[in-house]
Amino acid sequence: LLQGVRIPTLGSFDVVCTETLVGNKAVILQMPVFHLARNLEGVQNLENKDDVPGGKKLEPLKYAKVAVEASVSRRKAECCILGTTSLLYHCLEKGVSVAFVLRDVG
């Protein structure tokens, strides 16, 4: 079962499954999607057109798991994530173009 994740102040990542026909055979495609957090929607007139499909509940980001993977304390992991999302928010608010690269997602 694919589980989405919610990152406070940034948004949520999830996988949406869609069925499409290839020839005469139905194929299920999995597509990673990102939904912007509501606090960012008003910045530079950004908006989400769709909510999470089917009202699916997303799992909050587990800072402790991130900390273990990055070999840092939980507090440092949380501070880095919140600092990054805060920087992103301020850049978007000022109209600065930002490249936000996520590795190993999807």
Side-chain angles (χ1 to χ4, degrees):
L1 183 64
L2 301 171
Q3 177 66 50
V5 65
R6 181 182 48 82
I7 302 173
T9 72
L10 178 61
S12 62
F13 296 90
D14 200 4
V15 174
V16 175
C17 296
T18 58
E19 191 173 300
T20 189
L21 286 175
V22 177
N24 61 350
K25 184 178 179 182
V27 176
I28 296 176
L29 300 175
Q30 296 177 345
M31 180 176 62
V33 294
F34 172 72
H35 294 279
L36 196 62
R38 286 195 174 103
N39 65 306
L40 291 176
E41 288 179 359
V43 177
Q44 297 296 319
N45 297 319
L46 300 173
E47 62 182 67
N48 281 329
K49 300 281 190 234
D50 302 313
D51 289 326
V52 176
K56 184 176 179 181
K57 299 292 181 193
L58 300 178
E59 182 178 322
L61 179 66
K62 291 182 171 36
Y63 293 109
K65 188 173 180 180
V66 172
V68 167
E69 291 292 323
S71 300
V72 297
S73 70
R74 184 197 184 284
R75 177 156 170 70
K76 184 166 188 161
E78 186 173 355
C79 287
C80 287
I81 291 167
L82 294 177
T84 300
T85 57
S86 177
L87 177 61
L88 177 64
Y89 176 87
H90 290 295
C91 289
L92 291 172
E93 186 176 48
K94 293 178 181 182
V96 176
S97 293
V98 177
F100 194 70
V101 180
L102 300 166
R103 292 185 307 157
D104 302 326
V105 173

